[in-house]
Amino acid sequence: MNALPRLVALGLLLLVPALAAAYVAGSVWPGLMGYDSLLAFTESAYGVTTVTWPPMHAYLLTLSGQFPMAPGSVIFLQVFALGAGGVVVAFRLFRSTLQASLASIVYLAALALSPSVAGTLAVHWRDPLTAAFFALTAAAWIGPPGRPPWPGLVLGAAAATVCLSLRYNAFPVVVPLTCLMVYRVWRYTPGMLGRLAAILLLLAPYPLAVASVTWRLPDLQHLPRAENISTTRLFDIVGVGACSGKSFLPVAPGATAMTPPDALRKVYRPVHANLVIADLRARGYSTDFSYAALRAAWLDAVIDDPLCFLSHRRLVLLAQVGALKGDPFYITHNGIDPNPFGFRLARPDAAAAYVTGVVERARAYWNRPVVLLAGSLILMLLSFRAAPSRRLVKLALALGTIGFTGLLFLVSPAADARYIVPALAAAALLAGISAADLLPGRRSGAVK
C-alpha cells in the first residue's frame, strides 16, 4: 500500500536534479572552460602526457565523445549524479517516506543554495566530477545495517575508483565510507572467503587510483612524476616570510641575495599561489627554483617559524571556506577561453546571467561554505542520539567532511571555491540525514 506513494516521492525528488542538470547545462552549454579544462581536452584528444592534472578527467572526456551532445553531457552528468546520489542514499536509509523526502530536500537545498557548488557545477573541472562520483559511491554503499549486496559493492567500488582517480585529495572523504563498509562486510557477510573477497573489492579503488596516475591508458606507458607540490611550497615560504619578517626563499640563480621580506609582504595574498608568484615576477624577483632547493627552503621556513606557517595555512583555509572579509575567490569561470577545439558558448547571454547570479549570491555570508560545514556538524551532534542505526553513517560522513577540509588546510595551493566542493557534498548529505533524524515523532522510522 505504501510502495506507490514512496515510489512517486522518489521519482519527484529525482526529477529535481534532472531539471537542475538541464538548467545548468542549458545555460552554459557546452560548459565553461578555463586552462585546466582545456588541458584535459587536449590530453583527451592527443594523449595523456602528464599527471600534473590526474588523467581520469581526460579519460571521461574521451568517453563522453562517444555519445551525443559531448562535451556538454558531462555538465549534465555531474549535476544530476551529485543530486541523485544523495536522494538515493536517503531512500535507502529511511523506511519513512517523510524522513527520506526531508533528508533529500535538505540535501538538495544545501547544494543549490551554495554558490561554491552552483558555480563549480557549470565548469569542466575535476572537482564537481569528484563530488558527483563521491555521491554515486555513497548511493551504492550507504544503506541500512545488514549484509551489503554484491551489486552495490561492485558499483560503489567502480564509482570510488573514479572519484579517487580524479583528485589526489579525495582519499579523506572516501576512506571513512570504506571503513564503514569493511565493518559491515565483516559483521554481516557469512563465510571467511566471502568476507575477504568483499573487502578486497572495497579496497581495490585505492591501488587502482594510484595506478591511474602511474600508467596511462591504453598503452600502459609509465607517466612522469608530478612535482606540482613545488607551487604550494613556494606559496608557503612566501606566507611564512610575510608573517615572520624573514625571507626563506633560496637565492635565485645569478642573484646575490634572497628576496627581501618587504617584497614578500607586498605580494602576499592568501588566495592563490599563482597570483603571488606572478606578482613576484612582475616585481623582478625570480621564482624559478629547483625542486630540491624549494623543499629545503620549505623545511627551513616551517621549522624556524611553525606558528607563522600555521597562521598562513589558517588564512588560506578561511579564504577557502568564505570566512574572510571580501568576496570568495574564483567562485566560477566566466566563459570559454580561446581554444583550438572550436568550443564556444551556445547561449552567451544565458551563461553570463548564470555566472552573474552565482557571483552575486556568493557575496552573502549566510550561504558560504563555512555555514554548511559547521551547520552539518551541529545537526549531526543534535541528532546523534536519535537513531543508533545511522550513527556510523553520520560519523563516516562527518569524518570525510573534516578530513577533506583538513587536508586542504595542509596542502592547498589556493582558495578556489571549487576545491571545497567534495567536502560540501559530504556535509550536505550529513545535514540531510541528521535533519530527518530530528523530525518529531519519526525516530522509529530507522531501518533496523
Side-chain angles (χ1 to χ4, degrees):
M1 292 294 292
N2 293 326
L4 182 58
R6 186 175 178 85
L7 188 61
V8 170
L10 174 60
L12 289 174
L13 286 163
L14 287 176
L15 184 61
V16 174
L19 292 174
Y23 167 68
V24 175
S27 297
V28 300
W29 194 272
L32 305 177
M33 306 179 202
Y35 174 79
D36 292 5
S37 312
L38 293 170
L39 175 63
F41 275 106
T42 301
E43 298 269 287
S44 70
Y46 303 112
V48 172
T49 59
T50 176
V51 292
T52 301
W53 286 265
M56 181 56 72
H57 193 183
Y59 299 148
L60 291 176
L61 291 171
T62 301
L63 184 62
S64 77
Q66 307 305 311
F67 299 93
M69 302 188 300
S73 56
V74 175
I75 302 293
F76 185 95
L77 166 68
Q78 63 193 22
V79 179
F80 178 73
L82 180 59
V87 174
V88 171
V89 168
F91 275 80
R92 291 192 66 200
L93 271 182
F94 291 97
R95 176 181 299 157
S96 163
T97 301
L98 180 60
Q99 280 184 297
S101 300
L102 177 61
S104 300
I105 291 169
V106 172
Y107 172 75
L108 294 173
L111 295 178
L113 294 174
S114 173
S116 293
V117 177
T120 298
L121 287 174
V123 190
H124 283 283
W125 278 330
R126 298 177 307 285
D127 312 83
L129 279 171
T130 302
F133 278 94
F134 167 75
L136 293 177
T137 302
W141 280 355
I142 296 180
R147 182 180 177 181
W150 275 98
L153 292 177
V154 173
L155 291 173
T161 299
V162 177
C163 177
L164 294 168
S165 300
L166 281 165
R167 266 288 182 196
Y168 303 131
N169 59 333
F171 282 71
V173 77
V174 178
V175 165
L177 283 187
T178 304
C179 293
L180 171 67
M181 295 306 297
V182 168
Y183 165 75
R184 287 185 170 176
V185 163
W186 190 260
R187 181 174 179 181
Y188 296 110
T189 301
M192 185 59 68
L193 186 60
R195 289 175 181 172
L196 292 177
I199 290 172
L200 286 175
L201 178 62
L202 290 168
L203 297 179
Y206 297 93
L208 289 175
V210 173
S212 74
V213 295
T214 306
W215 299 280
R216 75 177 183 187
L217 296 176
D219 59 4
L220 298 181
Q221 181 175 327
H222 196 280
L223 291 164
R225 187 182 70 173
E227 295 184 349
N228 43 331
I229 188 66
S230 295
T231 301
T232 304
R233 284 176 174 163
L234 181 54
F235 190 31
D236 290 341
I237 294 167
V238 174
V240 173
C243 168
S244 66
K246 301 177 184 177
S247 181
F248 298 92
L249 282 173
V251 177
T256 57
M258 291 181 175
T259 305
D262 285 347
L264 302 183
R265 287 198 183 98
K266 289 176 181 177
V267 302
Y268 177 66
R269 284 179 286 173
V271 292
H272 204 300
N274 289 344
L275 295 179
V276 170
I277 293 170
D279 209 348
L280 277 174
R281 289 173 178 166
R283 294 170 183 268
Y285 299 106
S286 176
T287 58
D288 297 324
F289 306 108
S290 69
Y291 179 86
L294 274 179
R295 180 178 57 185
W298 183 84
L299 285 173
D300 287 344
V302 173
I303 293 171
D304 185 88
D305 205 328
L307 292 180
C308 274
F309 171 73
L310 293 175
S311 176
H312 155 66
R313 283 277 130 210
R314 177 183 63 86
L315 289 174
V316 176
L317 182 64
L318 290 176
Q320 177 73 79
V321 300
L324 292 182
K325 290 183 179 180
D327 296 341
F329 182 72
Y330 202 14
I331 201 74
T332 188
H333 201 61
N334 62 355
I336 298 179
D337 290 358
N339 64 88
F341 304 105
F343 293 137
R344 298 181 192 175
L345 289 171
R347 302 171 63 202
D349 292 342
Y354 185 91
V355 169
T356 300
V358 166
V359 172
E360 288 180 351
R361 286 194 293 115
R363 296 193 173 106
Y365 281 93
W366 63 268
N367 61 0
R368 295 195 178 191
V370 65
V371 176
L372 176 54
L373 294 171
S376 67
L377 296 176
I378 292 170
L379 283 173
M380 183 201 72
L381 293 175
L382 291 174
S383 69
F384 205 67
R385 296 179 61 185
S389 66
R390 286 187 285 275
R391 286 178 185 170
L392 288 180
V393 169
K394 288 187 278 194
L395 184 61
L397 292 171
L399 290 175
T401 301
I402 295 169
F404 189 95
T405 307
L407 190 58
L408 288 178
F409 171 81
L410 290 175
V411 301
S412 177
D416 289 13
R418 56 186 163 131
Y419 290 162
I420 197 72
V421 168
L424 295 182
L429 193 52
L430 176 60
I433 295 169
S434 300
D437 277 336
L438 289 171
L439 194 66
R442 292 284 176 174
R443 294 181 182 179
S444 61
V447 179
K448 301 297 184 184

